[in-house]
């Protein structure tokens, strides 16, 4: 049985630093919930099970997945499409009752893709949902440019602030991409899709999502002013620091943490560390993490479930869990999705138009 959404957020009016909504700023729904009917799930699953490995011809595969998922009920299809189109939609969407592979091999132990997977239903679900939001993209410094990322605990990464971790709380962050121009919020994905193939042994690993619209409601004006000032430097992703920079910090130019209109703010934060440039900025940064815990939605993903995550509207996190490295560990798959690849065309590799430096 699927585990329902657990939403532990206190009412905004009960938070000590909350500012009440006004007629100009009505409360917004920041968590969406979508469930496929059983018959639709089964029909889509049969079609996906007959499809080959999408990596053999990714553009053909994306077109085919569009064709298959076009059979979703119109209201559900519109809800997913609208999630990727509009500013006033939820920042995270919880999708349940998705097709799954009939047989699942052991969870890979190296953080890479399985070589023993007989069907590609999970990959089809992940890429189809991604295609309804935009276009999946890859970066050579993240999972070697793969479009489908296997998110799996790895022994050497258990204590790290990366997708290989397990024994530490993965801090609230959005997925950023190192860029030589000095800005880590330009090339980063617009969306992530996270899909569950296998839950952790105890079923306690939770994904949290804190929407910037909820975060700013519980912050005071002075903290928001500091967060909107270029007083912070984001450290490059842990994968880049580990694999390219030899574990040295690679900091961005000074940036703000929050930007954009008051009613539709964008938020940026690196899991691998943010360096505040003043003591006041550090206090504001600390307050962001505590505010995220106050307002976050919490979801325990199970097989056949996925999260659509707006990577600009909010920050996500993951709780601790125990990895056993026995072939039955937690196994998620992830995509990076961009609405438009034009603005990052300077990074495109000549071998693959979906993969960037």
């Amino acid at each position: 049985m699927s585990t329902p959404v657990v939403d532990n957020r206190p009412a905004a009016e009960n938070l000590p630093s909350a500012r009440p909504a006004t007629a100009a700023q009505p409360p917004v729904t920041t968590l969406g919930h979508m469930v496929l009917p059983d018959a639709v799930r089964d029909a889509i699953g049969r079609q996906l099970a007959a499809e080959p490995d999408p990596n053999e011809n990714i553009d053909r595969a994306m077109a085919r997945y569009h064709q298959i998922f076009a059979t979703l009920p119109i209201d559900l299809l519109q809800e997913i499409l609208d999630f990727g189109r509009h500013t006033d939609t939820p920042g995270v969407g919880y999708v349940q009752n998705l097709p799954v592979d009939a047989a699942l091999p052991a969870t890979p132990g190296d953080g890479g893709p399985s070589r023993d997977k007989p069907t590609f239903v999970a990959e089809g679900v992940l890429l189809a949902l991604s295609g309804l939001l935009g276009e999946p993209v890859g970066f050579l410094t993240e999972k070697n440019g793969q479009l489908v990322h296997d998110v799996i605990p790895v022994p050497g990464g258990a204590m790290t602030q990366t997708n290989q971790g397990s024994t530490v709380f993965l801090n609230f962050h959005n997925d950023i991409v190192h860029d030589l121009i000095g800005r880590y919020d330009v090339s980063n994905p617009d969306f992530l899709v996270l899909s569950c193939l296998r839950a952790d042994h105890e079923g306690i690993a939770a994904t949290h999502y804190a929407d910037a619209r909820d975060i700013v409601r519980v912050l005071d004006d002075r903290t928001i002013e500091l967060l909107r000032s270029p007083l912070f430097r984001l450290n490059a992703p842990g994968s880049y620091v580990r694999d390219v920079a030899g574990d040295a910090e690679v900091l961005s130019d000074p940036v703000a943490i929050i930007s954009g209109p008051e009613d539709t703010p964008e938020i940026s934060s690196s899991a691998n560390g943010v360096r505040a440039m003043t003591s006041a900025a550090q206090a504001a940064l600390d307050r962001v993490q505590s505010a995220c815990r106050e307002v976050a939605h919490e979801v325990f993903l199970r097989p056949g479930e996925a999260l659509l995550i707006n990577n600009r509207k909010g920050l996500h996190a993951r709780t601790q869990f125990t990895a056993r490295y026995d072939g039955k560990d937690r196994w998620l798959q992830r995509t990076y999705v961009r609405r438009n690849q034009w603005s990052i065309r300077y990074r495109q590799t000549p071998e693959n138009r979906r993969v960037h430096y």
Side-chain angles (χ1 to χ4, degrees):
M1 181 178 295
S2 296
T3 302
V5 175
V6 179
D7 186 354
N8 294 321
R9 297 184 302 158
E13 64 269 23
N14 295 329
L15 293 170
S17 56
R19 289 181 286 177
T22 66
Q25 293 182 312
V28 293
T29 300
T30 52
L31 171 68
H33 188 200
M34 294 151 270
V35 183
L36 271 65
D38 289 351
V40 174
R41 174 203 63 200
D42 295 343
I44 288 177
R46 285 191 295 270
Q47 295 180 80
L48 292 178
E51 291 299 311
D53 182 347
N55 292 301
E56 294 177 2
N57 186 337
I58 185 61
D59 289 325
R60 186 267 178 197
M62 292 303 299
R64 177 63 178 139
Y65 296 149
H66 271 299
Q67 190 176 51
I68 293 171
F69 268 64
T71 61
L72 287 171
I74 185 61
D75 290 344
L76 180 57
L77 180 60
Q78 181 184 344
E79 187 171 2
I80 297 173
L81 289 170
D82 285 353
F83 180 92
R85 289 170 170 163
H86 300 302
T87 59
D88 60 349
T89 52
V92 61
Y94 182 33
V95 188
Q96 292 185 288
N97 209 30
L98 291 159
V100 298
D101 290 280
L104 197 63
T107 301
D110 60 359
S114 171
R115 298 171 181 83
D116 302 318
K117 205 163 176 288
T119 56
F120 301 93
V121 174
E123 289 81 357
V125 166
L126 184 77
L127 289 167
L129 292 172
S130 302
L132 295 177
L133 302 180
E135 290 296 335
V137 297
F139 294 91
L140 293 179
T141 54
E142 183 64 35
K143 301 287 187 180
N144 298 313
Q146 295 160 204
L147 298 182
V148 174
H149 304 165
D150 292 276
V151 178
I152 297 164
V154 175
M159 298 290 292
T160 64
Q161 288 287 315
T162 71
N163 61 72
Q164 296 183 351
S166 55
T167 60
V168 294
F169 184 87
L170 181 57
N171 293 325
F172 283 93
H173 67 284
N174 46 17
D175 282 39
I176 62 174
V177 178
H178 173 263
D179 199 315
L180 292 174
I181 67 173
R183 292 291 298 264
Y184 298 173
D185 56 350
V186 173
S187 298
N188 60 330
D190 297 314
F191 303 97
L192 315 176
V193 180
L194 282 176
S195 180
C196 181
L197 283 72
R198 177 175 284 138
D200 61 294
H201 292 84
E202 291 82 18
I204 62 171
T207 302
H208 292 182
Y209 183 86
D211 194 289
R213 292 165 291 186
D214 292 329
I215 294 169
V216 297
R217 286 195 182 94
V218 301
L219 297 177
D220 61 86
D221 291 339
R222 175 56 178 160
T223 298
I224 293 175
E225 180 185 4
L226 288 164
L227 295 170
R228 284 184 170 275
S229 303
L231 297 173
F232 309 89
R233 302 182 72 188
L234 310 182
N235 195 12
S239 55
Y240 184 91
V241 168
R242 178 186 67 237
D243 299 334
V244 179
D247 293 325
E249 283 191 326
V250 185
L251 299 176
S252 72
D253 292 344
V255 295
I257 296 297
I258 294 176
S259 60
E262 288 188 9
D263 58 342
T264 54
E266 180 171 339
I267 188 165
S268 301
S269 185
S270 170
N272 202 35
V274 180
R275 300 292 172 256
M277 298 170 65
T278 69
S279 58
Q282 182 61 54
L285 191 62
D286 294 341
R287 178 65 184 118
V288 167
Q289 288 291 325
S290 64
C292 286
R293 292 174 182 263
E294 293 170 17
V295 305
H297 303 288
E298 182 180 52
V299 175
F300 297 86
L301 282 173
R302 298 292 182 261
E305 299 181 350
L307 286 177
L308 315 178
I309 295 176
N310 190 304
N311 195 44
R312 298 187 183 276
K313 288 182 181 178
L315 306 177
H316 59 282
R318 189 218 64 235
T319 61
Q320 304 97 314
F321 64 98
T322 301
R324 300 181 187 175
Y325 312 114
D326 60 355
K328 298 294 182 182
D329 274 325
R330 186 176 190 249
W331 184 0
L332 304 185
Q333 288 183 333
R334 179 187 68 189
T335 49
Y336 284 169
V337 182
R338 295 268 310 186
R339 289 293 290 177
N340 188 337
Q341 297 192 68
W342 181 255
S343 61
I344 58 170
R345 63 192 183 280
Y346 62 93
R347 302 185 59 155
Q348 184 176 300
T349 60
E351 298 81 15
N352 190 323
R353 57 188 172 187
R354 293 181 184 270
V355 178
H356 303 77
Y357 293 113

